[in-house]
């Protein structure tokens, strides 16, 4: 994984025969009270290593475009104009800055149903954001978000994911329920390397890698979300594995290693995060 270009709202990486473009939709601020300990209670003490912005946790919101030059997939779409304006809804600016033609996007893969991941399928003017859209991949447990309302015009192109399934020759959808019933990770392969693109597996990277048992208030099933997070973190410690996270600090692409000094997460220690590019935005 090699950084080849960067801008205010994007960073482009060479990943073997693929290109991975991190797209910054913006950021949102959330109160620390959203964090939960192992018993589901509000986390009493926030470590000094966790930065705050006016008393709040500042979460980056990222999407990722992956292409082999002929086929592509956009993973997550940001919030458009429906949440936390004016700090979010920058996906189209990021695509333009990165030189990605929205009209050429036919496949979109959604990690889960929440507003900051799925609502960018519709532009602020109410039109479809991707005029040649053919398929929207989403976990079957979250597909009802397309049943009515803003996203209903796209429901005939939804592909519900209930088991591991190929999105294309180098991307596989992997169900990881817990945060939502349909939460899905997308595994991108290039040679021997793997990139796991996740949505809300981790919200606060300065805390949840070191203490992976810390959960988020909006994890619908907190024990199941912890289990999914633990399995993914352990997978990411393997050689040639990388992560691209929706709420990792933009551009959000990193390596993961075990940290012997970290707090215990289940029967294992914590994990350390090594970003592959400096912050953007």
């Amino acid at each position: 994984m090699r950084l080849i270009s960067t801008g205010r709202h994007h960073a482009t990486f060479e990943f073997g025969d693929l290109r991975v473009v991190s797209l910054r939709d913006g950021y949102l601020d959330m109160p620390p009270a959203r964090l939960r300990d192992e018993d589901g209670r509000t986390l009493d003490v926030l470590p000094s290593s966790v930065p705050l912005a006016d008393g709040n946790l500042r979460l980056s919101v990222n999407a990722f475009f992956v292409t082999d030059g002929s086929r592509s997939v956009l993973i997550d779409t940001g919030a458009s104009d429906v949440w936390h304006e004016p700090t979010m809804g920058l996906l189209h600016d990021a695509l333009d800055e990165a030189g990605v033609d929205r009209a050429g996007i036919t496949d979109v893969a959604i990690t889960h149903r929440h507003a900051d991941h799925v609502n960018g399928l519709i532009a602020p003017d109410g039109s479809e954001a991707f005029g040649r859209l053919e398929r929207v991949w989403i976990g079957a447990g979250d597909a009802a978000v397309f049943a009515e309302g803003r996203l209903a015009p796209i429901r005939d192109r939804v592909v519900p994911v209930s088991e591991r399934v190929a999105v294309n020759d180098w991307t596989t959808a992997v169900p990881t329920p817990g945060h939502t019933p349909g939460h899905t990770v997308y595994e991108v392969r290039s040679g021997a390397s793997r990139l796991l693109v996740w949505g809300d597996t981790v919200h606060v990277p300065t805390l949840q890698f070191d203490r992976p048992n810390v959960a988020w208030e909006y994890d619908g099933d907190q024990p199941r979300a912890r289990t999914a997070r633990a399995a993914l973190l352990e997978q990411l410690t393997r050689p040639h594995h990388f992560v691209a996270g929706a709420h990792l600090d933009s551009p959000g692409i990193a390596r993961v290693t075990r940290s012997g000094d970290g707090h215990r997460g289940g029967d294992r220690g914590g994990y350390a995060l090594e970003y592959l590019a400096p912050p953007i935005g």
Side-chain angles (χ1 to χ4, degrees), residues 216-249:
W216 190 246
E217 178 182 8
Y218 296 132
D219 289 338
D221 184 333
Q222 291 182 20
R224 202 173 189 188
R226 288 188 182 95
T227 298
R229 180 165 49 254
L232 290 166
L233 288 171
E234 192 60 23
Q235 181 180 349
L236 284 164
T237 64
R238 298 174 187 171
H240 312 298
H241 278 62
F242 305 88
V243 62
H247 298 308
L248 301 188
D249 297 340

Side-chain angles (χ1 to χ4, degrees), residues 257-275:
T257 57
R258 292 190 188 92
S259 174
D261 296 330
H263 295 264
R264 297 187 65 78
D267 294 327
R268 306 182 187 276
Y271 298 84
L273 191 63
E274 177 192 355
Y275 286 108

Side-chain angles (χ1 to χ4, degrees), residues 110-111 138-142 160-167 172-187 197 201 224 227-229 231-232 235:
I110 300 296
T111 60
I138 189 170
D142 286 0
V161 174
S162 57
E163 59 186 3
R164 289 181 65 103
V165 63
V167 173
T172 300
V174 183
T176 54
H179 177 65
T180 63
H183 193 276
T184 301
V185 166
Y186 295 91
E187 181 182 87
V197 186
T201 302
R224 202 173 189 188
T227 298
R229 180 165 49 254
L232 290 166
Q235 181 180 349

Side-chain angles (χ1 to χ4, degrees), residues 11 18 22 38 48 59 61 64 68 91 109 124 148-149 160-161 203 212 276:
L18 304 176
S22 173
E38 290 85 346
S48 59
L59 279 59
V61 180
F64 301 93
D68 64 4
L91 181 74
E148 58 185 15
V161 174
H203 288 83
L276 301 188

Side-chain angles (χ1 to χ4, degrees), residues 25 27 83-90:
D25 193 60
Y27 69 86
W83 200 34
H84 278 258
E85 284 193 293
T87 68
M88 289 173 59
L90 302 174

Side-chain angles (χ1 to χ4, degrees), residues 120-139:
L121 284 162
I122 301 297
D125 66 3
S127 66
E128 292 189 19
F130 310 105
R132 292 180 55 207
L133 183 68
E134 296 177 5
R135 289 166 291 271
V136 180
W137 307 78
I138 189 170

Side-chain angles (χ1 to χ4, degrees), residues 29-33 35 46-59 204 206:
D29 289 341
M30 289 287 181
L35 293 164
L46 196 65
S48 59
S49 58
V50 179
L52 297 176
D54 295 325
N56 288 312
L57 301 162
R58 179 155 291 178
L59 279 59
V204 185
T206 53

